[in-house]
Amino acid sequence: MDDFQPVRGIFRNSQLERADGPGLNPTRNQTMGEIIAARFSRRGFMRGAMAVTAISATVSPMALMSADAAQVKGRVEGSAFDFPEVTAGVDADHHVAEGYDADVLIRWGDKVLADAPEFDPANQSEAAQEKQFGYNNDYVGFVPLEGAEDHGLLVVNHEYTNEELMFPGIVTIEAGEVVVAPATEERVNVEMAAHGGTIIEIRRENGKWRTLPEGRMNRRITAKTPMQLTGPAAGHARLQTNANPSGREVLGTINNCAGGVTPWGTYIMAEENFHGYFLGELPQGHAEAANYERLGVPGGNYDWGRFHGRFDLAQEPNEPNRFGWVVEVDPMDPTAVPKKRTALGRFKHEGAESALSKDGRVVFYLGDDERFDYVYKFVTAGRYDPDDRAANMDLLDEGTLYVARFDEEGGMEWLPLVQGEGPLTAANGFASQADVVIEARRAADLLGATPMDRPEDVEPNPENGHVYVMLTNNTKREEANAANPRTENAFGHIIEIIEEGGDLAATRGTWEILVKCGDPSIAEVGATFSTATTENGWFGMPDNCAVDADGRLWISTDGNSPSETGRTDGLWALDTEGEARGTSRLFYRVPVGAEMCGPCMTPDMATFFVAVQHPADGGDDWDEFGRPSYYEDLSTRWPDFRDDMPTRPSVVAITRQGGGRIG
């Protein structure tokens, strides 16, 4: 399939993560690009404090140079941030704003359980990896223990594996061609153990964080961990398999991208590109053929099905219906069975951040990360009880799943995905709510939801009812117009939703473009950062985000590379209010080849936990390597292999020197 065209790198598992997909949405629903065009052609090129830059860009190189001189060390007038800006660039190290420390907290292979062996990349095993920190850490969350701000549980998703980076010696060059050694069952089992998630106790002492492998709640969750299916699809015939005829149990979770922590302290894992783990063909005329086509199943990016029949469609044709869900884990109980909450729908979940509505219901925002797919939210039927944790533990099994439709006048509505309402009837293949959530994409198609440019993280600000939607890019966009002139949207943009009445449970709201991303000094790009943004401050490909305790927005990116942007990925602070609205500043940048994930700030705003994924992936894109980085053993991949930088997938703890709040 041509789903997986990598931005960097050449290997199939890298391609799985880098996919922005071909766009599997077959509908003719009006796209976000068309809506933006119509809206701004009517309402002009100026909106709020931002200029909507078209071919005649309002941000010139000279303006950026002036901003650089004034703002790199100082404070932008009206900005909520005052840290000294990092210089954008490319090298094999990581960099944080002056006055801050960035310390590697835990890396792939480090101990999660006390009896884990020391990491040895040349002698990996499934048994060892099940006790060690997994690969390619994405979402990072923090659950305080007994209300402490310096002691808690770090919860981390492990999205996918790069076998070419994990296993020394499996990549060779033969007659000038790259050759990857055929998969083995042993290697596949290590990869499966490196997926899933980690729960590990951590503590801050003398201003520095450390992991506690002896912690009694520490746990690894993998692609083989037994789980329950709950909610409307649990037990349905479409989830039943030869291995599990009840349709209520499943082994493992895969491709967990962003996630969340609920108000009652459970850990949310969101299954994203699950389609790539399946191979084989459905039996002729199988009823799931159209369902799987809409999701790109089978992707065939992994060889797991050669050794584990459940990933082979010919052997278990219903198995893909058991993935693509939101998973809830109780981190306080290492024996608790994780639950796949089917009420929140099945698609390529980027994340599942939540906050409370005005009446105490819990609202989850969900992005479906593929070209021309949708933004969702889920509102629980029940209300959160802050005094009774047990009463909250199954809130996610009942509620309403909604999908967003944006209009040309700046309004938007949330359309309920409820069986029997509108086109979601038995005549259209939705005989029950189980069918609706299993085929949430098709249900949203029929409702006329707005196709978006790869919705990734979606983050609510519970204080004002604003919601930030990260739209990473869409290089398949064909429509061009003055307000959105990028026929190939390589840099993405951010939508700000303002829920009606400031209530996150509202079914209507308004929307604005907060910023269109890319280099503002290049007129054809059409970026809309404020003129106070320096040449270091602009970014492309927004991915994950966080709203801190002061309501400030932080953005992490995925896709910047030396040949495309002249900079690595990183963490940016973006003003959303007042005269500084649209001003972005670079706070932290990662080593070449890495993706910036997370981010998560502790409640006291004294620490930022960030995730550095796949450092050195695609290092052949950087001339100073002088070689493709992934051909080498871990110990020689970097020019200087050090413990104080993320040479493996890592979680980094960022703190202010001398203490104090970040930013």
Side-chain angles (χ1 to χ4, degrees):
M1 295 177 63
D2 64 354
D3 289 33
F4 305 106
Q5 301 301 320
V7 175
R8 303 188 297 269
I10 58 175
F11 295 94
R12 57 173 182 240
N13 292 350
S14 298
Q15 292 172 1
L16 178 66
E17 161 62 10
R18 303 259 166 250
D20 49 8
L24 298 169
N25 189 339
T27 70
R28 294 184 179 273
N29 296 349
Q30 190 178 25
T31 69
M32 198 64 197
E34 293 166 335
I35 291 169
I36 291 169
R39 182 179 180 199
F40 284 95
S41 65
R42 296 180 187 182
R43 303 181 74 165
F45 293 112
M46 298 297 294
R47 191 68 184 174
M50 291 192 304
V52 180
T53 308
I55 298 301
S56 55
T58 61
V59 183
S60 69
M62 290 303 295
L64 288 173
M65 290 171 64
S66 298
D68 290 345
Q71 313 301 351
V72 170
K73 295 293 184 182
R75 181 184 179 91
V76 175
E77 187 67 29
S79 176
F81 305 96
D82 64 0
F83 59 84
E85 188 170 32
V86 172
T87 301
V90 182
D91 61 32
D93 214 329
H94 63 159
H95 302 266
V96 71
E98 182 182 344
Y100 293 83
D101 291 328
D103 301 310
V104 175
L105 177 61
I106 189 169
R107 303 171 296 175
W108 168 50
D110 286 350
K111 291 186 177 186
V112 172
L113 302 181
D115 61 346
E118 294 298 322
F119 180 59
D120 181 355
N123 294 285
Q124 300 180 57
S125 70
E126 179 183 19
Q129 181 63 86
E130 287 177 337
K131 297 179 180 181
Q132 297 165 335
F133 193 64
Y135 204 74
N136 275 344
N137 33 258
D138 194 297
Y139 174 76
V140 180
F142 178 74
V143 181
L145 289 175
E146 298 180 349
E149 295 179 330
D150 57 0
H151 183 206
L153 299 177
L154 191 75
V155 296
V156 184
N157 285 350
H158 300 295
E159 186 177 3
Y160 72 105
T161 49
N162 291 87
E163 59 181 359
E164 73 280 1
L165 300 180
M166 291 176 66
F167 302 105
I170 71 167
V171 176
T172 57
I173 305 294
E174 299 180 11
E177 297 292 327
V178 177
V179 178
V180 183
T184 65
E185 185 171 8
E186 180 182 22
R187 242 171 51 209
V188 163
N189 288 337
V190 172
E191 287 189 79
M192 294 178 76
H195 277 67
T198 288
I199 300 168
I200 187 168
E201 189 173 346
I202 60 174
R203 186 186 294 276
R204 184 173 60 206
E205 297 174 345
N206 299 318
K208 297 293 183 181
W209 290 88
R210 66 181 182 93
T211 61
L212 303 173
E214 67 276 14
R216 66 178 183 83
M217 288 172 279
N218 293 2
R219 181 179 188 181
R220 275 300 324 284
I221 295 166
T222 75
K224 295 183 179 180
T225 300
M227 301 189 173
Q228 293 179 2
L229 290 153
T230 70
H236 194 277
R238 299 175 71 177
L239 272 66
Q240 296 171 3
T241 64
N242 294 319
N244 177 234
S246 74
R248 295 181 178 275
E249 298 172 357
V250 63
L251 289 179
T253 182
I254 52 178
N255 212 264
N256 297 105
C257 200
V261 171
T262 67
W264 51 97
T266 55
Y267 161 36
I268 299 296
M269 310 170 73
E271 297 180 326
E272 191 188 25
N273 287 314
F274 66 93
H275 63 295
Y277 296 80
F278 294 90
L279 49 76
E281 296 183 3
L282 284 172
Q284 187 70 26
H286 197 279
E288 299 297 342
N291 170 24
Y292 292 173
E293 182 178 6
R294 182 67 176 84
L295 288 154
V297 176
N301 297 88
Y302 287 85
D303 291 320
W304 294 6
R306 290 176 49 197
F307 308 102
H308 299 274
R310 63 192 177 103
F311 293 102
D312 181 353
L313 297 185
Q315 298 183 54
E316 286 287 10
N318 281 354
E319 188 73 10
N321 282 337
R322 295 146 65 83
F323 293 89
W325 304 106
V326 163
V327 184
E328 185 177 16
V329 183
D330 184 359
M332 302 297 181
D333 181 0
T335 67
V337 177
K339 297 180 178 181
K340 296 195 178 188
R341 302 295 193 178
T342 67
L344 280 75
R346 174 174 164 270
F347 42 87
K348 296 177 184 178
H349 288 275
E350 170 71 22
E353 293 288 357
S354 62
L356 298 180
S357 68
K358 289 188 174 182
D359 65 0
R361 288 177 291 166
V362 189
V363 183
F364 285 78
Y365 287 89
L366 315 162
D368 186 354
D369 185 7
E370 188 145 25
R371 289 185 179 112
F372 305 112
D373 265 293
Y374 306 127
V375 176
Y376 298 81
K377 77 175 178 182
F378 177 80
V379 182
T380 62
R383 289 169 172 76
Y384 167 64
D385 186 343
D387 300 318
D388 187 352
R389 186 171 187 262
N392 304 314
M393 294 302 285
D394 290 317
L395 278 177
L396 300 192
D397 282 341
E398 294 185 17
T400 303
L401 180 65
Y402 297 89
V403 67
R405 181 165 63 199
F406 299 82
D407 69 39
E408 297 172 0
E409 298 300 323
M412 60 87 59
E413 59 182 320
W414 294 100
L415 310 171
L417 279 72
V418 176
Q419 194 276 334
E421 294 189 11
L424 307 185
T425 63
N428 285 324
F430 300 103
S432 67
Q433 188 64 18
D435 294 317
V436 172
V437 295
I438 290 169
E439 294 190 75
R441 276 188 174 180
R442 187 167 71 88
D445 294 344
L446 292 175
L447 289 173
T450 303
M452 307 292 280
D453 286 356
R454 286 189 63 201
E456 297 220 37
D457 221 353
V458 185
E459 183 89 17
N461 182 340
E463 297 304 315
N464 61 12
H466 291 212
V467 181
Y468 301 98
V469 183
M470 303 297 109
L471 299 163
T472 292
N473 57 38
N474 185 350
T475 54
K476 296 292 187 181
R477 178 188 286 170
E478 296 179 355
E479 56 270 13
N481 50 75
N484 190 8
R486 297 173 290 189
T487 56
E488 294 183 3
N489 178 12
F491 296 101
H493 57 288
I494 299 173
I495 294 288
E496 181 181 43
I497 296 171
I498 301 95
E499 297 279 30
E500 190 172 69
D503 188 359
L504 299 180
T507 58
R508 292 184 179 275
T510 58
W511 65 274
E512 295 283 351
I513 298 178
L514 176 57
V515 68
K516 290 193 291 184
C517 305
D519 187 347
S521 71
I522 302 173
E524 291 80 1
V525 169
T528 60
F529 293 100
S530 82
T531 55
T533 300
T534 74
E535 65 179 358
N536 300 303
W538 67 264
F539 59 82
M541 293 70 77
D543 189 334
N544 298 144
C545 64
V547 174
D548 66 25
D550 285 345
R552 302 178 304 173
L553 182 62
W554 300 80
I555 311 290
S556 65
T557 64
D558 174 22
N560 292 277
S561 68
S563 65
E564 295 168 344
T565 63
R567 60 189 58 203
T568 64
D569 286 311
L571 180 66
W572 278 263
L574 181 63
D575 279 292
T576 61
E577 298 180 351
E579 60 185 307
R581 179 178 168 91
T583 302
S584 176
R585 292 168 68 82
L586 178 56
F587 179 69
Y588 173 79
R589 68 176 167 94
V590 296
V592 63
E595 170 189 348
M596 179 81 268
C597 300
C600 167
M601 198 176 283
T602 53
D604 61 1
M605 294 177 58
T607 303
F608 233 140
F609 296 114
V610 296
V612 178
Q613 268 203 37
H614 53 73
D617 184 14
D620 55 329
D621 192 31
W622 186 43
D623 291 341
E624 292 189 35
F625 266 131
R627 54 164 172 76
S629 60
Y630 34 65
Y631 301 159
E632 306 294 333
D633 184 282
L634 279 171
S635 63
T636 61
R637 182 180 306 138
W638 294 94
D640 183 10
F641 189 79
R642 311 195 313 263
D643 284 343
D644 64 347
M645 64 172 282
T647 52
R648 305 178 226 157
S650 307
V651 173
V652 173
I654 300 174
T655 53
R656 196 165 198 157
Q657 295 168 0
R661 289 154 63 98
I662 285 178

